[in-house]
Amino acid sequence: MAKASGLGQTTLSVDTSAGTPTDIRNDVTNWQMATPRGVQDITGVDKSANERLLLLADGSVTLNGVFNATGAHLVFRTVSSSSVNRTTTQTVNGVTLAMELLYSDYQLSRSDSGELTWSAPGSLADGTVPTWT
């Protein structure tokens, strides 16, 4: 696969609290996804450099966007009142990362110049290792 930008080749869907996948890419202005691993330091006093073991895998996402009452708002408006896993699927240039996430907040912000934006952070929910396919 050739190098690519993040322009135009992106899909992004998040389940509603009822489990319906919803394409929200038109409302998302930027996002950050992470798939970190825990690390345990196991360096003995006989070593001159660190030794480590990889531990549990994790996943998180922060989505940011422009308020749309008939778009992403319909997905995230129930974050405060429901406790459900939501499948979040991101495809960039033909490679896909899907994770079951718990969204812990749906923040709305109105700037002094009038922009109405939102942010929604999610964390891995089900113990399945996030894997790009």
Side-chain angles (χ1 to χ4, degrees):
M1 176 179 283
K3 294 178 183 177
S5 72
L7 301 175
Q9 304 291 328
T10 299
T11 63
L12 177 61
S13 68
V14 178
D15 284 1
T16 65
S17 59
T20 304
T22 305
D23 181 357
I24 62 169
R25 66 185 152 171
N26 185 258
D27 297 339
V28 176
T29 57
N30 61 83
W31 52 264
Q32 179 181 6
M33 292 191 176
T35 55
R37 297 278 306 265
V39 178
Q40 178 182 0
D41 187 337
I42 59 165
T43 309
V45 295
D46 62 333
K47 298 293 189 267
S48 297
N50 287 319
E51 290 180 294
R52 295 183 178 93
L53 291 175
L54 284 176
L55 301 175
L56 294 174
D58 201 356
S60 64
V61 64
T62 300
L63 305 174
N64 300 290
V66 177
F67 185 82
N68 179 351
T70 61
H73 178 69
L74 296 177
V75 172
F76 295 117
R77 67 183 178 176
T78 57
V79 165
S80 65
S81 61
S82 65
S83 300
V84 297
N85 297 358
R86 297 168 189 250
T87 303
T88 301
T89 306
Q90 170 74 46
T91 301
V92 179
N93 296 304
V95 292
T96 301
L97 178 63
M99 297 185 281
E100 288 294 316
L101 302 175
L102 286 173
Y103 282 87
S104 57
D105 200 359
Y106 173 48
Q107 307 163 10
L108 293 178
S109 178
R110 195 265 188 196
S111 72
D112 58 359
S113 60
E115 293 98 347
L116 183 58
T117 59
W118 57 267
S119 180
S123 299
L124 191 65
D126 70 346
T128 302
V129 176
T131 305
W132 287 92
T133 59

PDB file of all heavy atoms in Angstrom, residues 5-27:
ATOM      1  N   SER A   5      -2.673  10.342   2.573  1.00  0.00           N
ATOM      2  CA  SER A   5      -3.115  11.343   3.537  1.00  0.00           C
ATOM      3  C   SER A   5      -4.406  10.861   4.188  1.00  0.00           C
ATOM      4  O   SER A   5      -4.938   9.814   3.831  1.00  0.00           O
ATOM      5  CB  SER A   5      -3.365  12.685   2.836  1.00  0.00           C
ATOM      6  OG  SER A   5      -4.548  12.594   2.055  1.00  0.00           O
ATOM      7  N   GLY A   6      -4.924  11.625   5.109  1.00  0.00           N
ATOM      8  CA  GLY A   6      -6.200  11.306   5.734  1.00  0.00           C
ATOM      9  C   GLY A   6      -7.357  11.996   5.043  1.00  0.00           C
ATOM     10  O   GLY A   6      -8.431  12.107   5.615  1.00  0.00           O
ATOM     11  N   LEU A   7      -7.143  12.454   3.825  1.00  0.00           N
ATOM     12  CA  LEU A   7      -8.172  13.195   3.113  1.00  0.00           C
ATOM     13  C   LEU A   7      -9.022  12.281   2.243  1.00  0.00           C
ATOM     14  O   LEU A   7      -8.489  11.486   1.475  1.00  0.00           O
ATOM     15  CB  LEU A   7      -7.540  14.276   2.233  1.00  0.00           C
ATOM     16  CG  LEU A   7      -6.682  15.301   2.963  1.00  0.00           C
ATOM     17  CD1 LEU A   7      -6.032  16.238   1.951  1.00  0.00           C
ATOM     18  CD2 LEU A   7      -7.494  16.072   3.971  1.00  0.00           C
ATOM     19  N   GLY A   8     -10.319  12.378   2.374  1.00  0.00           N
ATOM     20  CA  GLY A   8     -11.249  11.770   1.440  1.00  0.00           C
ATOM     21  C   GLY A   8     -11.428  10.272   1.488  1.00  0.00           C
ATOM     22  O   GLY A   8     -12.381   9.767   0.936  1.00  0.00           O
ATOM     23  N   GLN A   9     -10.558   9.531   2.120  1.00  0.00           N
ATOM     24  CA  GLN A   9     -10.638   8.073   2.101  1.00  0.00           C
ATOM     25  C   GLN A   9     -11.082   7.524   3.447  1.00  0.00           C
ATOM     26  O   GLN A   9     -10.683   6.435   3.838  1.00  0.00           O
ATOM     27  CB  GLN A   9      -9.263   7.492   1.741  1.00  0.00           C
ATOM     28  CG  GLN A   9      -8.701   7.984   0.440  1.00  0.00           C
ATOM     29  CD  GLN A   9      -9.490   7.466  -0.753  1.00  0.00           C
ATOM     30  OE1 GLN A   9     -10.030   6.370  -0.729  1.00  0.00           O
ATOM     31  NE2 GLN A   9      -9.598   8.266  -1.793  1.00  0.00           N
ATOM     32  N   THR A  10     -11.902   8.261   4.172  1.00  0.00           N
ATOM     33  CA  THR A  10     -12.240   7.901   5.540  1.00  0.00           C
ATOM     34  C   THR A  10     -13.722   7.563   5.676  1.00  0.00           C
ATOM     35  O   THR A  10     -14.575   8.243   5.121  1.00  0.00           O
ATOM     36  CB  THR A  10     -11.897   9.068   6.487  1.00  0.00           C
ATOM     37  OG1 THR A  10     -10.499   9.322   6.405  1.00  0.00           O
ATOM     38  CG2 THR A  10     -12.256   8.761   7.915  1.00  0.00           C
ATOM     39  N   THR A  11     -14.006   6.500   6.440  1.00  0.00           N
ATOM     40  CA  THR A  11     -15.370   6.244   6.893  1.00  0.00           C
ATOM     41  C   THR A  11     -15.324   6.169   8.413  1.00  0.00           C
ATOM     42  O   THR A  11     -14.306   5.805   8.998  1.00  0.00           O
ATOM     43  CB  THR A  11     -15.954   4.936   6.322  1.00  0.00           C
ATOM     44  OG1 THR A  11     -15.183   3.843   6.802  1.00  0.00           O
ATOM     45  CG2 THR A  11     -15.958   4.953   4.808  1.00  0.00           C
ATOM     46  N   LEU A  12     -16.407   6.525   9.051  1.00  0.00           N
ATOM     47  CA  LEU A  12     -16.464   6.519  10.506  1.00  0.00           C
ATOM     48  C   LEU A  12     -17.906   6.297  10.929  1.00  0.00           C
ATOM     49  O   LEU A  12     -18.786   7.090  10.586  1.00  0.00           O
ATOM     50  CB  LEU A  12     -15.956   7.854  11.065  1.00  0.00           C
ATOM     51  CG  LEU A  12     -16.009   8.035  12.577  1.00  0.00           C
ATOM     52  CD1 LEU A  12     -15.155   6.996  13.278  1.00  0.00           C
ATOM     53  CD2 LEU A  12     -15.540   9.422  12.954  1.00  0.00           C
ATOM     54  N   SER A  13     -18.135   5.195  11.640  1.00  0.00           N
ATOM     55  CA  SER A  13     -19.480   4.950  12.150  1.00  0.00           C
ATOM     56  C   SER A  13     -19.402   4.579  13.626  1.00  0.00           C
ATOM     57  O   SER A  13     -18.431   3.983  14.088  1.00  0.00           O
ATOM     58  CB  SER A  13     -20.185   3.848  11.360  1.00  0.00           C
ATOM     59  OG  SER A  13     -19.579   2.602  11.585  1.00  0.00           O
ATOM     60  N   VAL A  14     -20.459   4.971  14.346  1.00  0.00           N
ATOM     61  CA  VAL A  14     -20.604   4.669  15.770  1.00  0.00           C
ATOM     62  C   VAL A  14     -22.034   4.193  15.981  1.00  0.00           C
ATOM     63  O   VAL A  14     -22.978   4.774  15.437  1.00  0.00           O
ATOM     64  CB  VAL A  14     -20.318   5.915  16.650  1.00  0.00           C
ATOM     65  CG1 VAL A  14     -20.525   5.597  18.121  1.00  0.00           C
ATOM     66  CG2 VAL A  14     -18.920   6.455  16.400  1.00  0.00           C
ATOM     67  N   ASP A  15     -22.189   3.140  16.792  1.00  0.00           N
ATOM     68  CA  ASP A  15     -23.530   2.644  17.098  1.00  0.00           C
ATOM     69  C   ASP A  15     -24.289   3.623  17.977  1.00  0.00           C
ATOM     70  O   ASP A  15     -23.709   4.247  18.869  1.00  0.00           O
ATOM     71  CB  ASP A  15     -23.457   1.318  17.861  1.00  0.00           C
ATOM     72  CG  ASP A  15     -23.115   0.138  16.978  1.00  0.00           C
ATOM     73  OD1 ASP A  15     -22.903   0.323  15.763  1.00  0.00           O
ATOM     74  OD2 ASP A  15     -23.042  -0.980  17.523  1.00  0.00           O
ATOM     75  N   THR A  16     -25.589   3.713  17.763  1.00  0.00           N
ATOM     76  CA  THR A  16     -26.468   4.393  18.707  1.00  0.00           C
ATOM     77  C   THR A  16     -26.600   3.502  19.939  1.00  0.00           C
ATOM     78  O   THR A  16     -26.146   2.357  19.940  1.00  0.00           O
ATOM     79  CB  THR A  16     -27.866   4.623  18.100  1.00  0.00           C
ATOM     80  OG1 THR A  16     -28.468   3.335  17.866  1.00  0.00           O
ATOM     81  CG2 THR A  16     -27.803   5.429  16.814  1.00  0.00           C
ATOM     82  N   SER A  17     -27.279   3.973  20.963  1.00  0.00           N
ATOM     83  CA  SER A  17     -27.481   3.141  22.161  1.00  0.00           C
ATOM     84  C   SER A  17     -28.351   1.927  21.849  1.00  0.00           C
ATOM     85  O   SER A  17     -28.315   0.932  22.572  1.00  0.00           O
ATOM     86  CB  SER A  17     -28.086   3.957  23.296  1.00  0.00           C
ATOM     87  OG  SER A  17     -29.321   4.507  22.907  1.00  0.00           O
ATOM     88  N   ALA A  18     -29.102   1.967  20.754  1.00  0.00           N
ATOM     89  CA  ALA A  18     -29.920   0.827  20.330  1.00  0.00           C
ATOM     90  C   ALA A  18     -29.137  -0.162  19.477  1.00  0.00           C
ATOM     91  O   ALA A  18     -29.669  -1.190  19.067  1.00  0.00           O
ATOM     92  CB  ALA A  18     -31.143   1.328  19.560  1.00  0.00           C
ATOM     93  N   GLY A  19     -27.861   0.148  19.175  1.00  0.00           N
ATOM     94  CA  GLY A  19     -27.018  -0.757  18.402  1.00  0.00           C
ATOM     95  C   GLY A  19     -27.048  -0.553  16.906  1.00  0.00           C
ATOM     96  O   GLY A  19     -26.572  -1.406  16.159  1.00  0.00           O
ATOM     97  N   THR A  20     -27.569   0.578  16.450  1.00  0.00           N
ATOM     98  CA  THR A  20     -27.633   0.860  15.020  1.00  0.00           C
ATOM     99  C   THR A  20     -26.379   1.610  14.574  1.00  0.00           C
ATOM    100  O   THR A  20     -26.128   2.722  15.045  1.00  0.00           O
ATOM    101  CB  THR A  20     -28.868   1.726  14.693  1.00  0.00           C
ATOM    102  OG1 THR A  20     -30.033   1.054  15.172  1.00  0.00           O
ATOM    103  CG2 THR A  20     -28.979   1.988  13.199  1.00  0.00           C
ATOM    104  N   PRO A  21     -25.564   1.023  13.675  1.00  0.00           N
ATOM    105  CA  PRO A  21     -24.381   1.736  13.178  1.00  0.00           C
ATOM    106  C   PRO A  21     -24.809   2.990  12.404  1.00  0.00           C
ATOM    107  O   PRO A  21     -25.710   2.930  11.572  1.00  0.00           O
ATOM    108  CB  PRO A  21     -23.712   0.737  12.231  1.00  0.00           C
ATOM    109  CG  PRO A  21     -24.363  -0.578  12.473  1.00  0.00           C
ATOM    110  CD  PRO A  21     -25.703  -0.300  13.073  1.00  0.00           C
ATOM    111  N   THR A  22     -24.161   4.119  12.720  1.00  0.00           N
ATOM    112  CA  THR A  22     -24.523   5.390  12.106  1.00  0.00           C
ATOM    113  C   THR A  22     -23.273   6.070  11.568  1.00  0.00           C
ATOM    114  O   THR A  22     -22.304   6.266  12.295  1.00  0.00           O
ATOM    115  CB  THR A  22     -25.216   6.308  13.133  1.00  0.00           C
ATOM    116  OG1 THR A  22     -26.332   5.600  13.683  1.00  0.00           O
ATOM    117  CG2 THR A  22     -25.685   7.593  12.493  1.00  0.00           C
ATOM    118  N   ASP A  23     -23.301   6.412  10.299  1.00  0.00           N
ATOM    119  CA  ASP A  23     -22.176   7.100   9.657  1.00  0.00           C
ATOM    120  C   ASP A  23     -22.183   8.556  10.117  1.00  0.00           C
ATOM    121  O   ASP A  23     -23.104   9.312   9.801  1.00  0.00           O
ATOM    122  CB  ASP A  23     -22.330   7.025   8.142  1.00  0.00           C
ATOM    123  CG  ASP A  23     -21.197   7.689   7.381  1.00  0.00           C
ATOM    124  OD1 ASP A  23     -20.285   8.279   8.018  1.00  0.00           O
ATOM    125  OD2 ASP A  23     -21.214   7.626   6.144  1.00  0.00           O
ATOM    126  N   ILE A  24     -21.156   8.958  10.882  1.00  0.00           N
ATOM    127  CA  ILE A  24     -21.101  10.326  11.400  1.00  0.00           C
ATOM    128  C   ILE A  24     -19.921  11.112  10.838  1.00  0.00           C
ATOM    129  O   ILE A  24     -19.609  12.194  11.317  1.00  0.00           O
ATOM    130  CB  ILE A  24     -21.060  10.347  12.946  1.00  0.00           C
ATOM    131  CG1 ILE A  24     -19.815   9.653  13.487  1.00  0.00           C
ATOM    132  CG2 ILE A  24     -22.332   9.748  13.528  1.00  0.00           C
ATOM    133  CD1 ILE A  24     -19.579   9.877  14.969  1.00  0.00           C
ATOM    134  N   ARG A  25     -19.268  10.600   9.801  1.00  0.00           N
ATOM    135  CA  ARG A  25     -18.048  11.246   9.300  1.00  0.00           C
ATOM    136  C   ARG A  25     -18.278  12.676   8.833  1.00  0.00           C
ATOM    137  O   ARG A  25     -17.366  13.487   8.884  1.00  0.00           O
ATOM    138  CB  ARG A  25     -17.401  10.411   8.211  1.00  0.00           C
ATOM    139  CG  ARG A  25     -18.224  10.300   6.955  1.00  0.00           C
ATOM    140  CD  ARG A  25     -17.608   9.384   5.956  1.00  0.00           C
ATOM    141  NE  ARG A  25     -18.669   8.822   5.143  1.00  0.00           N
ATOM    142  CZ  ARG A  25     -18.474   8.113   4.087  1.00  0.00           C
ATOM    143  NH1 ARG A  25     -17.255   7.832   3.696  1.00  0.00           N
ATOM    144  NH2 ARG A  25     -19.483   7.641   3.413  1.00  0.00           N
ATOM    145  N   ASN A  26     -19.481  13.016   8.392  1.00  0.00           N
ATOM    146  CA  ASN A  26     -19.743  14.380   7.940  1.00  0.00           C
ATOM    147  C   ASN A  26     -19.760  15.377   9.087  1.00  0.00           C
ATOM    148  O   ASN A  26     -19.508  16.561   8.890  1.00  0.00           O
ATOM    149  CB  ASN A  26     -21.066  14.436   7.170  1.00  0.00           C
ATOM    150  CG  ASN A  26     -21.303  15.811   6.579  1.00  0.00           C
ATOM    151  OD1 ASN A  26     -22.084  16.590   7.112  1.00  0.00           O
ATOM    152  ND2 ASN A  26     -20.590  16.112   5.505  1.00  0.00           N
ATOM    153  N   ASP A  27     -20.033  14.903  10.304  1.00  0.00           N
ATOM    154  CA  ASP A  27     -20.088  15.782  11.472  1.00  0.00           C
ATOM    155  C   ASP A  27     -18.767  15.833  12.239  1.00  0.00           C
ATOM    156  O   ASP A  27     -18.582  16.690  13.093  1.00  0.00           O
ATOM    157  CB  ASP A  27     -21.184  15.321  12.437  1.00  0.00           C
ATOM    158  CG  ASP A  27     -22.566  15.391  11.817  1.00  0.00           C
ATOM    159  OD1 ASP A  27     -22.741  16.142  10.843  1.00  0.00           O
ATOM    160  OD2 ASP A  27     -23.455  14.683  12.301  1.00  0.00           O
TER     161      ASP A  27
END
